[in-house]
Amino acid sequence: MRTGSGGLVLASRGRRLVPPPDHAGGEHVLRRPDGHTILHGQMLAAELSTTLDADLARAVMAVAAGNARAAEAELCKRFAPRVRQYGLRHLRDEQGAADLVQRVLVVTIEKLRDRAVREPEQIASFILGTARMVTREMTRGASRVEPLLPEQLSLLESDSPALEPLAAEGLAGCLEQLAERERSVILLTFFQELSATEIARSLSLQEGNVRVIRHRAIQRLRACLGLLEEEIS
Amino acid sequence: MSRTCRQPLPLEQVVAYMLGELTDPEAGRVEEHYFSCEACTRRLETVRRLGEGIAQLVRGGHVSASVTEELLACAQKSGLTLRAYHLAPGGQVACTASPADDFVVVRLALSVAESEVVDLTAVGTEIASGAQQSRTVQDVVVDRAAGEVIYLYSGAYVRALPRTRWTLSAQVRGPEGERQVGPFTMNHTPWEELSHPR
């Protein structure tokens, strides 16, 4: 959220921080409206997780390059899973998705440091656009993609790790509890990677019926595995 | 940052996106949403983890289900070892599972109309003790093109069975009423007890 005076409001606590910041003894300092100052790193470590995406982007742009490491780290941590999902969908390969995450986040942080992002409030769209562009480059041929430099890799120290796979035993038990047809549709969907149209053809069913069966089965598996709670935690 | 979402992407749309079923503009809208939404990204991650987990279970030979000929071909193509038994109604076969078998495939010849559904009952009788177990699976998938019910059993599950006589029968239900097809008899012997395994 951007305030009229150009200050930053942290989403959950409503604390307003007024750039431009001062520098004190090499440490970066942000000044509150009440006149108190706090060290950038101290504030960010405690409160970044509740800050809006756009405010993180502004925080990186508001200071000299490299002086908003915590905000940069939080942005990377937050967007890495989104870019990874995009990569898995479009590149259909774990390594490709991991490469995409690195490249997109490096471009993003570098552009923010250079203050080359014109609309920080649209940072999510900027990162999505970057993901699309880098994916196009990667699919044109790996040779066109330059390896990352060590200083670029150092930007990604907090890149969030991939999620743990589901425990096989629990998943097998939940799969066993499904209705037979649900189980078959789930195998055709996720092992054979068939679309609803293809499954409908294969099982002599209506496509809409396949979607209903698939939806119900996935809902039941999510509930059985406790994934619904995980999604909203 | 929002950890919850006031208008979350519907689950079916998330699944369709992940599976590449959406048009480019539809997929683009989904992407614009989840790039701004932690909650929907988590939903997408959940479905993907689920899908990867299911595929991994099959690759590990840990699933039993009625399937199609095409799925068997896909399993073989991905390097899984399948041991198949074909049975006609009234027929019987000696069967086992070797340590190398990921799956045992039971193929029951069964001519079924589009409007009919099939329930499959398996009654197992342990040879040594005479103890019985019975299980009915309702509405199994029928490969109508092949004229078969194709049931995939986990190799690990079959290997753990003692000497057992399995009697399978199919109850076919349709607008014309019900009929029973079978029995299909399978005499299972553990691999280690066979002197000259196939």
Side-chain angles (χ1 to χ4, degrees), chain B residues 2 14 40 74 81 92 137 140 192 196:
Chain B
S2 168
V14 169
C40 289
C74 180
T81 305
Q92 60 177 301
V137 180
V140 296
E192 301 74 26
H196 299 290

Side-chain angles (χ1 to χ4, degrees), chain A residues 11 48-53 74 78-79 81-90 92 94 124-125 127-128 131-132 163-166 168-169 171-172 175-176 179-181 183-198 202-205 211-212 214-215 217-219 221-222 225 227-228 230-233, chain B residues 1-4 10-12 15-22 24 27-29 31-39 41-59 62-68 70-72 74-76 78 80 114 116-118 135 137-144 151-152:
Chain A
L48 275 173
S49 67
T50 56
T51 306
L52 296 175
D53 295 342
E74 177 64 21
R78 198 174 289 184
F79 278 93
R82 306 176 198 185
V83 180
R84 180 171 176 272
Q85 289 304 317
Y86 182 91
L88 289 170
R89 166 68 184 77
H90 292 273
R92 306 188 75 79
E94 278 288 346
S125 294
I127 297 175
L128 172 57
R132 287 175 173 154
L163 294 169
E164 286 292 309
L166 295 172
E169 199 172 311
L171 183 53
L175 198 58
E176 186 67 22
E180 182 63 26
R181 193 163 288 267
R183 187 163 43 244
S184 302
V185 166
I186 285 291
L187 296 193
L188 295 172
T189 300
F190 292 120
F191 176 67
Q192 204 178 337
E193 299 183 348
L194 295 186
S195 67
T197 313
E198 292 166 323
S202 180
L203 301 185
S204 306
L205 294 172
R211 289 185 195 280
V212 169
R214 186 176 72 184
H215 179 266
I218 292 173
Q219 280 284 39
L221 287 171
R222 285 160 79 221
L225 291 159
L227 297 174
L228 293 172
E230 214 173 281
E231 278 182 32
I232 57 173
S233 65
Chain B
M1 178 184 62
S2 168
R3 284 178 181 275
T4 56
L11 178 64
E12 187 52 35
V15 174
Y17 169 75
M18 200 190 93
L19 297 171
E21 294 178 353
L22 300 181
D24 286 348
R29 283 193 289 277
E31 285 158 359
E32 279 155 25
H33 181 102
Y34 77 74
F35 263 73
S36 301
C37 179
E38 187 188 7
T41 302
R42 272 205 305 270
R43 174 168 282 192
L44 185 53
E45 285 174 331
T46 297
V47 176
R48 193 176 293 283
R49 276 170 88 201
L50 196 55
E52 287 168 356
I54 300 285
Q56 197 56 42
L57 271 189
V58 179
R59 286 194 286 269
H62 298 301
V63 173
S64 297
S66 52
V67 298
T68 61
E70 289 171 350
L71 188 137
L72 294 186
C74 180
Q76 279 181 312
S78 48
L80 293 168
E114 293 277 338
E116 292 179 314
V117 295
V118 177
R135 185 179 175 218
V137 180
Q138 293 189 318
D139 193 16
V140 296
V141 162
V142 181
D143 192 321
R144 288 179 168 82
Y151 214 96
L152 197 63

